[in-house]
Amino acid sequence: MDTVVSGIRPTGNLHLGNYFGAVRAFTQMQNEYNCFFFIADWHSLTTHPHPDNIVRSTNTILAEYLACGIDPEKATIYIQSDVREVVELYLYLNMNAYLGELERTTSFKEKARQQPNNVNAGLLTYPTLMAADILMHKAVKVPVGKDQEQNMEMARKFARRFNTIYGVDFFVEPQSYALGDRALKVPGLDGSGKMGKSEGNAIYLIDDAKTITKKVMRAVTDAGPTEPNSPRPEPIANLFTLMEIVSSPEVYKHFSDSYNDCSIRYGDMKKQLAEDICSFSAPIRERILELNSDEAYLRQVAKLGAEKARESASKTLEEVRQIIGFRHR
């Protein structure tokens, strides 16, 4: 089976956008590919998180991945910092990465603008660490969004450069993998764009029914249609997209028809949407709470994942050392 690698920074709870945009697809892919799903705690150091937050956030993502259906017996789920081989490959790749090309990456320029008082070397070399994560397992496919496509091209460039410098055909060039019909773009509640972690925009998988209802009832709407079959403004179209994702076809059709004949009441639509989101997320939330209270099991899963990831990583790294010229003494 082809190898797939995907990582997520531990920067908070997963939301519906994460689930329908990627995680649900991962639960399908684990049956079709050799999957490595990791929690990128080293990447999070570019923002200087507090030590307690690193541990807590890492456990949060681990529990939520498991609650969503990623199976540690089918896929390798691991914490990035448990696989120290990645850092050594990161070092080797950095030796062949050039300052100019790293400074030109969009991700570096955006992060430098967002945190002008913390433009650290980790931000600059983010593409080489990402490449090390991918190349370490010789991944063929990497599920990424459009915002990461430049960094994926960097990973391919580093693979080619390594092969060229040492005259080998060792690293495959990883390809961006579009989830296609496996993934959905989930809109936010603030009237525009996709669901993210900004205030008032997201519904988290850990949210309880009261919180979900409160968020949905505050979602942006308008005065309602004044003519039959009117185009739907973005905030209204977003609500219908959410309903199409979580509600039954009959419910969606009812409110779509009422919008088209100008009889819709947004309050009723929001109440139904909140109920349907609660029904969908309740089993996941219950499982998250169970897992969060079982630290021993989370440690066991992390340990299993680290062992499997290090087995793959150590094999690659040993070959890399041989190619570069380092020998065991």
Side-chain angles (χ1 to χ4, degrees), residues 289-300:
L289 294 175
E290 290 175 3
L291 290 163
N292 280 337
S293 64
D294 193 349
E295 291 188 11
Y297 178 67
L298 293 179
R299 286 195 299 271
Q300 178 184 335

Side-chain angles (χ1 to χ4, degrees), residues 54-73:
I54 293 177
V55 175
R56 182 168 56 253
S57 298
T58 297
N59 283 341
T60 292
I61 298 298
L62 179 57
E64 294 183 352
Y65 261 1
L66 295 170
C68 289
I70 297 180
D71 186 343
E73 297 296 330

Side-chain angles (χ1 to χ4, degrees), residues 21 29 49 51 64 74 104 124 174 194 217 229 233 250 258 286:
M29 294 172 71
E64 294 183 352
K74 295 180 179 179
R104 287 192 296 271
L124 182 67
K194 67 179 182 179
M217 296 307 291
N229 301 310
E250 294 76 18
S258 64
E286 183 178 339

Side-chain angles (χ1 to χ4, degrees), residues 241-310:
T241 297
L242 282 169
M243 179 163 274
E244 191 172 17
I245 291 170
V246 300
S247 304
S248 69
E250 294 76 18
V251 166
Y252 177 84
K253 184 177 186 304
H254 167 75
F255 285 101
S256 182
D257 290 345
S258 64
Y259 182 90
N260 290 334
D261 66 18
C262 302
S263 65
I264 192 166
R265 296 173 58 178
Y266 288 135
D268 292 341
M269 181 183 181
K270 288 180 178 180
K271 286 179 184 177
Q272 183 64 55
L273 178 59
E275 288 179 13
D276 292 341
I277 292 174
C278 290
S279 296
F280 166 77
S281 62
I284 297 176
R285 179 177 186 272
E286 183 178 339
R287 182 63 178 147
I288 291 171
L289 294 175
E290 290 175 3
L291 290 163
N292 280 337
S293 64
D294 193 349
E295 291 188 11
Y297 178 67
L298 293 179
R299 286 195 299 271
Q300 178 184 335
V301 170
K303 183 174 182 293
L304 173 65
E307 290 171 352
K308 291 165 69 177
R310 291 198 71 183

